[in-house]
Amino acid sequence: MKYIKTILPIFVLITTLFLSCEKENNDKEPSPKSKTVLIYMCAENTLGTNYMRDPVTQKNMTFYECDSAEIVRGATKLPENVNLIVFADKSSKNVKPFIAKVDKKGWHIVKSYDKDWYATDKKFMSEVINWTVTKFPATSYAMAFWGHGNGWMIMPESQTTITNAKAKRKAYGTDTGKDNNDGGDGYEKYINIPELAEVLSKAPHLDYIFFDCCQMMGAEVAYELRNVCDYIIGSPAEIPGFGAPYEYVVPDLFTDKEHVGQVIVDDYIKYNNFSDVGGQPLSVVKTSNMENLLIATNNCIDTIMAHYPYPQNLPLYDIIYYGMNSPSARQPIFYDLRNVMRKYLCESDFKAWDETFQKTVVYSVFPKDIKQTGMPDWNSVELTSNIYFRSFTMNKENYGGLSMFFPQTYYSNADSRYLNLNVSIKNLQWNTIIDWTRYNWE
């Protein structure tokens, strides 16, 4: 999830000017542009109701409103031969989900829906993507996902339905359903990563996916999405509620795919105010190398498991981790894969493994060590005390920027409302090869 620092809202009248608005623009078949980028904004949640101060207008605006304004400003720098398309589902009973084209002249609604939907429903998401590709053809495509995230975490299908999904966190979303007229009644719905991969597999192959949401840079996520895009960009950790500085990142979205990750990451850091914590964990994965990384990692697991006889826990107390969430029984989760390998492999084995890793995680940046800053902000909003995240050392030697799941006995003791992570990890393809059950885990 994106973590959020709220500012007490004041009454602000915000007027949004839409230069065109209609049910659907049925103009003649458009000519293909060089690239179409779809920003999928899932804002029927706290990001659409909590406030921040817009750095340009100095007005209190919701995170959704602020980033929407930034997108408009960023689009003024775009060339004519590209399509920037935004799907948005905001927290509003009056404004239904819509698709907009954004260009130098502003924000134009090109399709509006007559009722509210769960934006995280895979059928609806597929319809949005297919409509966009049909109406705005291009020689290449890419997507950015804006919203909350919880990495690979899986919840059972029964908890993605209207009646059972309340307050369940998983993967990408969330859509609260509060605006629905079908009995949604505020029940949240996310989409699991395997479901997201299924949706994207039916769309044109993407140059990249940019996740502007929390904890999506995990080996399990990247491997699941390896066949639908060439690169994945995002953070293994929680990110701030204000997310990417879109005024500067929007032009970056149309950079060639070999360099787009680095320019997005660099501008993410350059134009956001990370002065207190010295940055944000961000990374770029080349998905064509994920298979090689899985093979290399699997070959090393037996060495690691010598330290890890069930039911003992692999000692990870000094390993970089990126979350401590309710679904993980308030225990550390999302451990840095490279840091684990560095600790448990001999020098020659680590060097061989790291060669594959560096070809897969092709770019990454990291913040200052928390013991230097005393600020836990980049790690977790759920933990306001700076006594956490002090057990490891954040530096170039340890940091990799890609997390991986390692089973621990305390994950089996999570709140009964959540899945046992030692079991739910089995839903991910990465785990079919790693297969923790061969070491007698559940």
Side-chain angles (χ1 to χ4, degrees):
M1 63 180 179
K2 285 188 178 181
Y3 74 72
I4 299 174
K5 290 183 176 179
T6 58
I7 300 175
L8 291 177
I10 60 174
F11 180 79
V12 180
L13 177 63
I14 302 172
T15 302
T16 305
L17 176 63
F18 295 116
L19 297 182
S20 63
C21 181
E22 52 192 346
K23 287 293 181 183
E24 186 171 326
N25 188 342
N26 292 312
D27 292 340
K28 65 180 181 179
E29 197 71 23
S31 300
K33 298 290 183 75
S34 64
K35 183 184 284 292
T36 292
V37 175
L38 172 61
I39 303 178
Y40 200 91
M41 301 185 76
C42 195
E44 194 176 318
N45 50 52
T46 53
L47 297 173
T49 57
N50 289 38
Y51 286 75
M52 65 173 287
R53 186 171 294 278
D54 180 74
V56 174
T57 65
Q58 293 301 303
K59 294 180 179 178
N60 278 2
M61 304 170 71
T62 66
F63 292 104
Y64 162 77
E65 291 168 338
C66 189
D67 280 351
S68 296
E70 289 179 358
I71 288 170
V72 171
R73 293 196 294 268
T76 62
K77 307 167 189 176
L78 293 180
E80 297 295 332
N81 65 333
V82 300
N83 293 313
L84 176 61
I85 310 300
V86 175
F87 164 77
D89 182 15
K90 59 183 292 187
S91 293
S92 172
K93 289 280 188 181
N94 299 318
V95 180
K96 302 304 179 185
F98 62 87
I99 300 174
K101 185 179 188 298
V102 193
D103 56 28
K104 291 179 182 294
K105 297 180 180 179
W107 182 291
H108 319 271
I109 295 184
V110 293
K111 182 179 178 66
S112 56
Y113 293 88
D114 58 6
K115 64 179 180 178
D116 205 276
W117 303 80
Y118 277 103
T120 49
D121 179 84
K122 63 182 182 181
K123 290 183 180 179
F124 178 69
M125 185 181 288
S126 289
E127 192 279 329
V128 170
I129 295 172
N130 292 337
W131 189 92
T132 299
V133 168
T134 300
K135 296 296 183 180
F136 299 96
T139 56
S140 64
Y141 298 89
M143 283 191 71
F145 286 93
W146 184 101
H148 286 302
N150 256 110
W152 65 266
M153 287 188 180
I154 296 281
M155 292 294 174
E157 186 63 27
S158 63
Q159 294 177 354
T160 65
T161 63
I162 292 175
T163 56
N164 296 308
K166 193 170 186 179
K168 301 299 183 184
R169 294 176 179 168
K170 63 190 180 65
Y172 169 73
T174 176
D175 188 329
T176 64
K178 288 183 178 179
D179 298 338
N180 290 13
N181 295 318
D182 60 358
D185 194 27
Y187 288 94
E188 298 180 359
K189 185 172 182 178
Y190 283 71
I191 186 169
N192 284 320
I193 297 303
E195 292 173 323
L196 180 61
E198 179 186 346
V199 168
L200 297 178
S201 69
K202 300 173 184 177
H205 189 82
L206 302 174
D207 281 356
Y208 67 84
I209 295 172
F210 170 41
F211 283 114
D212 194 19
C213 42
C214 295
Q215 298 169 332
M216 301 303 279
M217 295 307 287
E220 297 84 2
V221 174
Y223 191 77
E224 205 76 21
L225 298 174
R226 70 195 184 282
N227 295 321
V228 301
C229 63
D230 293 329
Y231 293 88
I232 301 175
I233 308 155
S235 177
E238 289 191 308
I239 64 171
F242 50 76
Y246 283 96
E247 182 172 353
Y248 305 97
V249 166
V250 160
D252 296 343
L253 297 175
F254 296 91
T255 306
D256 65 276
K257 65 181 180 181
E258 288 79 12
H259 300 98
V260 64
Q262 180 171 344
V263 296
I264 287 175
V265 166
D266 287 349
D267 280 348
Y268 200 112
I269 299 299
K270 181 178 179 180
Y271 294 105
N272 269 330
N273 180 18
F274 288 120
S275 58
D276 290 336
V277 295
Q280 170 78 26
L282 294 166
S283 57
V284 182
V285 163
K286 186 175 183 178
T287 58
S288 61
N289 287 331
M290 281 303 301
E291 198 73 54
N292 291 336
L293 180 62
L294 174 58
I295 293 169
T297 301
N298 188 53
N299 290 340
C300 295
I301 290 296
D302 279 331
T303 300
I304 294 176
M305 292 304 290
H307 304 267
Y308 202 15
Y310 178 84
Q312 296 182 32
N313 291 322
L314 179 69
L316 298 172
Y317 60 88
D318 56 351
I319 300 296
I320 297 169
Y321 64 93
Y322 298 109
M324 186 179 278
N325 307 336
S326 298
S328 64
R330 293 284 178 166
Q331 298 293 334
I333 189 72
F334 302 120
Y335 285 97
D336 189 279
L337 172 56
R338 186 171 182 269
N339 198 180
V340 174
M341 293 297 176
R342 185 176 186 84
K343 177 177 180 178
Y344 284 106
L345 297 180
C346 68
E347 184 176 352
S348 60
D349 286 351
F350 174 74
K351 182 177 180 181
W353 176 87
D354 200 37
E355 287 181 4
T356 302
F357 183 85
Q358 298 299 335
K359 292 176 182 178
T360 307
V361 182
V362 293
Y363 190 68
S364 62
V365 297
F366 58 91
K368 295 178 182 177
D369 190 273
I370 192 173
K371 293 185 288 298
Q372 293 177 280
T373 65
M375 300 290 292
D377 292 24
W378 65 265
N379 292 278
S380 178
V381 69
E382 296 192 34
L383 304 170
T384 57
S385 172
N386 64 12
I387 65 171
Y388 298 96
F389 302 99
R390 289 174 170 268
S391 59
F392 56 77
T393 299
M394 176 68 75
N395 59 26
K396 183 178 180 180
E397 287 69 32
N398 293 333
Y399 176 75
L402 190 71
S403 69
M404 179 177 157
F405 176 79
F406 290 87
Q408 301 280 286
T409 54
Y410 45 70
Y411 295 150
S412 300
N413 301 322
D415 188 314
S416 60
R417 292 174 299 171
Y418 302 100
L419 281 184
N420 178 343
L421 299 185
N422 293 325
V423 175
S424 62
I425 188 66
K426 296 178 183 179
N427 291 278
L428 282 299
Q429 295 181 49
W430 177 270
N431 190 70
T432 61
I433 302 300
I434 298 297
D435 189 14
W436 296 109
T437 62
R438 60 180 162 152
Y439 305 108
N440 297 320
W441 282 90
E442 302 174 77

